Amino acid sequence: MTLLARYRNAFEINAISTRLLLASALLLPAFLGLTGFFLHSGFKQSQTVAEETRLRSHLYLLFSVAELNGNDSASMQMPNTLLEPEFERLDSGLYAYIYDGDGKPVWHSNSAALKTVPAQALFSHQRQPGELIFQHLTGQRQFASHYDVIWEDINGDGHPFRFVVTHTESNFNAELRAYRSSLWQWLGAAGLFLILVQSIILHWGLRPLKQLAASLAAMQNGETRDISGQHPRELQQIVDNLNLVLAREQSLRQRYRNSLSDLAHSLKTPLAVLQSKLTPETRSQDLQETVAEQVQRMNQVVTYQLQRAVASHQQGNHQFTPVAPLVQRLVNALQKVYRDKMVTCDVQIGEGLVFAGDEQDLMELLGNLLDNAFKYGERHIMVCGAIAQRQLCLTIQDDGSGIPATDRERILQRGQRLDTQRPGQGIGLAVALDIINSYQGSLAITDNGQPGTCFSVCLPGMNQAAT
């Protein structure tokens, strides 16, 4: 993948990381803007309170040094120099005034020597004496604080005065601009840092999804059979469920493949019986009977295998199948297939023995075991059956070369064969074992005592004579 393609994929609008980053890029400026607005408003309010406090302290300074003029009680006597340097420096921005009861200025600070004394009406209207007033004169671009007092002379007569202190807002605005500039610079840097951190967190947080995608790609390419690896708790449940679905899908596909191979294997015996009858010596009546019987058998096989392909487990435990007639039918059919070997089969099964299960299952099971016995036996085969501990126990013995003990587990696996010289696919014993397991039965392979093999099968059964 080229660098341009990676860049395009990384910023694709459908990507989760891109959506989250875009949302952060849109939300973060709004959040920081509101934060900056409230911080700026708070700072401005605190500066205004500080300005009010400073002006109040200046008023208290004026009160502390003010005295009535002894010669003229209507005027106020102030020292030539005040302790606050800003009151002495020309055009310092801090000015003080005193007005009499008629609103005429009777005194001003040295800093206001070159300025026109503002009219008393510029400030707030008359208030009660003793009330300190603070106001922002927007048109004059200054803050002002005044205090109305009634000053008594030595005769007890009261004289009204208004003490006023003003301060230009230039310093106030300069501090506000400096704070605003610094605030937005820091908030901008914080926003960029947060977006960078957010992108790193997204990359780290979404890494498990990339790992999951890589696991899915590896499974698609056939490198693994399921989604491997450890995933976060939020994804692990999804991964486990996906693995269950995949396992079930694989199991279904395997079962369908097995069913097809089982169907082909099950049709071999009826086809072999038909082939054995296609000779000039066979009478027409015998051929018709054989064809009808084997066609019916093949129809049963096809129906049975289709049912097994769609069923999750064997059914039929509510059915009861007589064992002896079924075994005899199978022996008769196989003797026709292997008539050239002249094999004799001794069946020792009581007429009352019953298999508690589906007839097609028992026919498929015994058909595979008997077919192996006829194929690998030499001259004699014995089939025995009995009920032991409410189980149907069947044994099929042949006089062949036998099966080595080390190979008995292997031949039960699908596709495994010991004798590759004779025709076969290694399916029959695996099918038989599947049917036995579906009924919770058991299969044992032992020696026949003489050269040969004994297959022992235990299945659900009953004795009709006993019932």
Side-chain angles (χ1 to χ4, degrees), residues 313-321 355-359 361 439 460:
H313 54 83
Q314 296 293 336
Q315 303 292 333
N317 287 339
H318 61 283
Q319 302 179 15
F320 301 99
T321 303
F355 166 61
D358 186 71
E359 178 182 1
D361 289 338
Y439 286 96

Side-chain angles (χ1 to χ4, degrees), residues 17-33:
S17 58
T18 303
R19 293 183 179 185
L20 293 177
L21 280 176
L22 184 60
S24 299
L26 294 177
L27 182 61
L28 194 59
F31 173 78
L32 293 178

Side-chain angles (χ1 to χ4, degrees), residues 360-435:
Q360 294 299 322
D361 289 338
L362 184 61
M363 182 172 290
E364 186 72 17
L365 165 62
L366 295 180
N368 285 307
L369 296 179
L370 286 171
D371 182 68
N372 278 350
F374 273 88
K375 182 184 298 183
Y376 297 107
E378 295 296 336
R379 295 294 178 183
H380 185 71
I381 297 173
M382 178 177 291
V383 182
C384 301
I387 295 292
Q389 298 180 351
R390 299 187 62 84
Q391 280 195 318
L392 174 63
C393 296
L394 299 172
T395 59
I396 300 175
Q397 306 175 31
D398 63 64
D399 57 352
S401 58
I403 301 174
T406 56
D407 294 325
R408 290 172 186 172
E409 290 289 337
R410 184 169 64 87
I411 64 171
L412 296 177
Q413 300 175 11
R414 185 175 292 268
Q416 297 295 323
R417 301 177 62 222
L418 295 182
D419 184 5
T420 58
Q421 302 299 320
R422 304 188 190 189
Q425 291 79 35
I427 296 176
L429 291 180
V431 172
L433 183 61
D434 287 342
I435 296 173

